[in-house]
Amino acid sequence: MTGYAKIKHKTINRIQDNILARAERKVLTRICSRLPLWVTPDKLTAIGMVGAVAIFAGYAASSFHLGWLWLAIIGIAVQWFGDSLDGSLARYRKIERPKYGYFLDHSCDGITTVLLLAGMGLSPFVRVDVALFAVSGYLLLSIHAYLSVYTVGELKLSYLAAGPTELRIVVITMTLLMMVLGTKDPGWFGEISGFDVFVGGVGALFMVLFIVQTIITARRLAIREEVQQAGTGKDGE
């Protein structure tokens, strides 16, 4: 459940500049206004995790029949519903639990990503080593996001005008292409398929963003602490 956590008594500044953010926020608010009272943020979080398991099962089972990929697509939609609405509902009803929500939401995000890429790695479309590479890139970028919360009080939820919702749309599109193109032996790139290239490229992009954002944040912190130290020195004179 997404919420406004406080680290060292400072409210987190959520940075979300993805293309669909404003339109999605309006849709989520409308849905929240129509949800019955028995629907709680925790139940929505659980629904999101059910969707994550469905994603894994759909991709993994596609080794037996491509029709199972529909389960993965449905799982992505269910996961979006639960993951996007749990925090939105808490804020709409003003029942936020900041630290609990922050911890649970991002723990579930990590599990969901591992399930998604593990499922792809077990499918006939993406190699396991490529999927693991993409997981590594995601985890590195996540580490940066969580460290930024503690050090600068910012939680960056989008990069290059894309956030979780845009990524879900990309994954759904890729899954539809899997069903249309099927498996080719050899693939477009020999033993490495076009899907391997794409997923590996996304993992590489995550790692590049991690490096760039780490440098930018480190510079900000260095300048901030130099200014603080200079101010302390003047006060002491």
Side-chain angles (χ1 to χ4, degrees):
M1 175 171 34
T2 305
Y4 290 95
K6 292 184 178 180
I7 304 296
K8 290 188 174 181
H9 308 292
K10 292 183 179 180
T11 301
I12 295 175
N13 179 25
R14 292 160 52 91
I15 301 175
Q16 192 168 11
D17 300 322
N18 49 304
I19 297 172
L20 298 176
R22 183 175 298 179
E24 183 181 23
R25 198 173 299 116
K26 291 180 180 179
V27 171
L28 293 175
T29 300
R30 289 181 181 178
I31 295 175
C32 287
S33 66
R34 290 165 171 76
L35 287 175
L37 291 177
W38 59 265
V39 177
T40 64
D42 281 352
K43 288 180 180 177
L44 288 168
T45 300
I47 289 173
M49 292 310 299
V50 170
V53 173
I55 294 170
F56 170 82
Y59 283 122
S62 66
S63 296
F64 305 103
H65 193 282
L66 295 184
W68 283 105
L69 291 173
W70 284 113
L71 177 60
I73 292 175
I74 293 171
I76 293 170
V78 172
Q79 197 276 330
W80 169 85
F81 182 84
D83 181 58
S84 299
L85 275 171
D86 54 5
S88 297
L89 184 64
R91 289 189 290 275
Y92 181 82
R93 293 180 179 173
K94 301 186 186 305
I95 55 173
E96 301 100 321
R97 288 176 287 177
K99 292 181 180 179
Y100 169 80
Y102 177 85
F103 175 81
L104 184 61
D105 181 62
H106 295 293
S107 296
C108 290
D109 286 345
I111 295 171
T112 297
T113 303
V114 170
L115 287 173
L116 185 151
L117 288 166
M120 283 190 180
L122 293 174
S123 77
F125 300 97
V126 180
R127 290 168 40 151
V128 173
D129 54 349
V130 174
L132 289 174
F133 177 77
V135 169
S136 300
Y138 168 81
L139 292 177
L140 279 175
L141 199 56
S142 297
I143 288 170
H144 168 77
Y146 305 149
L147 288 174
S148 294
V149 170
Y150 180 80
T151 55
V152 296
E154 293 178 354
L155 177 60
K156 194 169 179 61
L157 298 172
S158 60
Y159 298 88
L160 303 177
T165 299
E166 286 80 5
L167 285 176
R168 290 185 183 101
I169 293 173
V170 169
V171 172
I172 289 174
T173 302
M174 184 178 71
T175 307
L176 291 172
L177 285 174
M178 289 176 178
M179 287 189 281
V180 171
L181 299 175
T183 57
K184 296 181 180 180
D185 189 20
W188 297 334
F189 302 90
E191 293 184 0
I192 297 178
S193 71
F195 300 113
D196 288 322
V197 173
F198 180 78
V199 173
V202 171
L205 177 61
F206 285 161
M207 291 187 178
V208 170
L209 286 172
F210 166 75
I211 293 170
V212 171
Q213 292 297 320
T214 296
I215 293 171
I216 292 173
T217 303
R219 284 183 174 179
R220 287 178 60 189
L221 290 170
I223 293 172
R224 179 184 298 181
E225 293 187 350
E226 285 174 3
V227 171
Q228 290 176 346
Q229 290 174 356
T232 302
K234 289 180 180 180
D235 291 341
E237 290 178 355

